[in-house]
Amino acid sequence: MSEEWKDQINNQINTLEKLEEIINLTDSEKEAINTLDTRWGTTPYFASLMDKDDPECPIRKQVIPSLEEKHNKYGMHDYLVWKENRATDEVRPDSIARQYKDRIAFTVFKKCGIYCRHCFRKELVVDHDLELDFNIDEGLEWISQHEEIRDVLITGGDPLLLSDDKIEYIIASLRAIPHIEMIRIGSRLPIVLPQRITEDLKRILGGYHDVPIWLNTQCNHPKEITEKTKRAVYDLVSSGVNVGNQAVLLKGINDDVKAIRELHQKLLTARIRPYYLFYCEPAPGIDHFRTPVEKGAELIRDGLRGHTTGLAQPMYVIATNIGKIPLMPDYYIMDKTDEKYILKNHRGELTEFPNIPE
Ligand SMILES: *Cc1c(COP(=O)(O)O)cnc(C)c1O
Ligand code: SF4
């Protein structure tokens, strides 16, 4: 039986001809598509959200290759090997990336519902420079032998593009390991292919009280949230899956107060809880998406903290080989004496608060 989500994947918009049926391309977009040796594309659903005429459209910029990708001044060569801490003494299967004692990232699939131009895994997912073997059973075996791991983050590529049977196998196997207390899934599909959240998938992921699932998606601009997204997230949440967002700070897409505030407010209207705002990682060929590091903290200071509900606040982090490092705005404590703190709010007003000795 054909399912809508499979049709979306089989009919991906990944050629110039198909793209030209949807939007009017600029000469430079055409040249990038014709000359760059890179995988690109997305679902017809997500492509339909692109602006027909505006090359600055935030969705176009995430989907369509750019000639800027040829430049690489700041990106690291072999970025993913560094980032995922693969060159260490601990022997681990390729599917296991480790930076922390109690949790790991478990990579199970290489394909995506969109080949994001800013992807930090682009060497693996988009450009295929890096070959890794994602043997699921080998990964599960490693996890079952490491009792200190209590939290498994299933990632990719996009793990929800696997068949229902494979997803059920992975989830059921993890739930059967006594030391696994929670499972996480990183997937862009609620945004780029909400049709994937089917009745069967809800049954596979939901319905358990123990070993809960937290799904973090990636949504970078308010334009990406539609009625279909809202419905898919409602379906996930009502079947017991918690849904969060990990946005990437992207120059020219969401690096302004208006876009960042609207994004985080709109996520909440779709029941998606903001989790992280990532600095755009130094993978090769994506310099043009990167802002100065301070930008994310400034946007939280000027657009989010105090300007809207605390529920809409992501934590701004830099992802590194030694873990994620928070870089939050630091204007709150203006002064401190033995008796008191002087604190500042988002409007620049000051207040005093007692300093309690230990
Ligand atoms: C991001 C990441 C995690 C999860 O980190 P949290 O801060 O707990 O969300 C775990 N392992 C690796 C290798 C990661 O990159
Ligand atoms: S969905 Fe994730 S892994 Fe896939 S291309 Fe986008 S950022 Fe990379």
Side-chain angles (χ1 to χ4, degrees):
M1 194 180 73
S2 144
E3 287 184 275
E4 192 187 349
W5 76 270
K6 292 183 182 161
D7 293 340
Q8 287 273 333
I9 288 299
N10 291 334
N11 294 305
Q12 275 195 76
I13 306 301
N14 53 9
T15 64
L16 186 60
E17 293 68 36
K18 289 189 199 171
L19 193 57
E20 279 184 318
E21 287 172 19
I22 305 172
I23 59 169
N24 297 316
L25 288 148
T26 64
D27 289 344
S28 123
E29 284 171 327
K30 283 186 210 166
E31 188 185 340
I33 288 170
N34 285 328
T35 58
L36 296 180
D37 177 22
T38 181
R39 174 177 294 206
W40 68 278
T42 191
T43 57
Y45 160 77
F46 198 60
S48 75
L49 306 180
M50 291 191 286
D51 190 288
K52 213 166 162 11
D53 295 305
D54 181 9
E56 294 301 309
C57 164
I59 296 185
R60 266 168 94 135
K61 284 184 162 180
Q62 293 181 68
V63 172
I64 305 174
S66 155
L67 291 170
E68 305 264 22
E69 293 173 28
K70 289 203 278 197
H71 306 293
N72 184 43
K73 189 165 170 200
Y74 303 104
M76 290 186 214
H77 181 63
D78 281 340
Y79 177 72
L80 208 57
V81 172
W82 175 81
K83 159 69 195 300
E84 295 199 330
N85 222 354
R86 293 182 177 278
T88 53
D89 291 338
E90 185 182 69
V91 179
R92 297 183 295 260
D94 280 357
S95 60
I96 307 285
R98 185 171 201 185
Q99 293 168 344
Y100 301 106
K101 187 164 186 343
D102 74 330
R103 58 206 191 279
I104 47 112
F106 182 22
T107 312
V108 298
F109 199 52
K110 232 164 55 172
K111 292 192 178 152
C112 293
I114 166 178
Y115 294 96
C116 309
R117 301 329 299 165
H118 57 272
C119 176
F120 76 89
R121 294 198 186 89
K122 73 191 286 274
E123 294 154 291
L124 176 75
V125 170
V126 179
D127 297 338
H128 295 268
D129 293 340
L130 181 67
E131 279 298 324
L132 296 172
D133 173 25
F134 298 134
N135 181 312
I136 290 172
D137 283 318
E138 204 183 30
L140 289 169
E141 178 63 25
W142 186 94
I143 293 165
S144 73
Q145 285 167 3
H146 287 75
E147 288 181 22
E148 73 278 17
I149 304 295
R150 44 175 294 283
D151 167 3
V152 173
L153 163 56
I154 305 170
T155 183
D158 203 309
L160 292 188
L161 283 182
L162 287 171
S163 68
D164 285 354
D165 285 351
K166 286 223 173 85
I167 295 173
E168 186 158 27
Y169 174 72
I170 296 170
I171 298 290
S173 305
L174 287 173
R175 279 185 165 139
I177 299 174
H179 51 270
I180 298 306
E181 296 171 13
M182 58 187 270
I183 296 170
R184 290 192 279 171
I185 297 176
S187 170
R188 257 204 109 163
L189 296 197
I191 303 299
V192 300
L193 182 56
Q195 297 85 347
R196 177 65 183 103
I197 313 306
T198 59
E199 286 301 315
D200 282 340
L201 191 70
K202 281 163 60 180
R203 179 187 54 75
I204 292 166
L205 299 181
Y208 293 80
H209 172 59
D210 285 335
V211 199
I213 293 185
W214 301 75
L215 186 151
N216 280 316
T217 193
Q218 184 197 138
C219 178
N220 301 319
H221 191 276
K223 220 181 148 178
E224 294 169 50
I225 301 168
T226 67
E227 278 309 305
K228 281 204 162 59
T229 323
K230 290 186 178 179
R231 180 74 218 186
V233 175
Y234 174 74
D235 285 347
L236 283 166
V237 172
S238 58
S239 61
V241 177
N242 307 285
V243 182
N245 189 53
Q246 309 194 142
V248 184
L249 179 59
L250 297 167
K251 193 161 139 187
I253 291 180
N254 61 14
D255 65 335
D256 61 275
V257 162
K258 183 168 177 284
I260 280 288
R261 189 186 297 154
E262 265 179 38
L263 167 64
H264 288 90
Q265 288 176 334
K266 201 165 171 191
L267 285 167
L268 290 180
T269 70
R271 293 185 171 76
I272 304 175
R273 171 72 161 92
Y275 179 39
Y276 281 139
L277 173 64
F278 281 104
Y279 181 66
C280 182
E281 301 183 33
I286 59 173
D287 289 351
H288 55 295
F289 285 120
R290 249 175 269 124
T291 62
V293 162
E294 288 81 3
K295 189 74 189 183
E298 288 166 12
L299 290 171
I300 289 174
R301 181 193 64 197
D302 300 340
L304 292 179
R305 174 53 64 192
H307 304 280
T308 193
T309 168
L311 283 167
Q313 315 290 323
M315 181 180 287
Y316 177 50
V317 293
I318 293 201
T320 76
N321 61 327
I322 55 169
K324 297 174 180 72
I325 298 179
L327 288 168
M328 297 300 278
D330 62 355
Y331 62 87
Y332 315 109
I333 301 180
M334 297 299 288
D335 199 8
K336 178 185 171 185
T337 67
D338 287 347
E339 288 83 40
K340 65 189 180 194
Y341 289 93
I342 310 289
L343 302 177
K344 183 158 115 177
N345 77 356
H346 64 288
R347 284 191 294 265
E349 298 159 342
L350 301 181
T351 190
E352 291 184 9
F353 203 81
N355 179 3
I356 310 299
E358 276 207 61

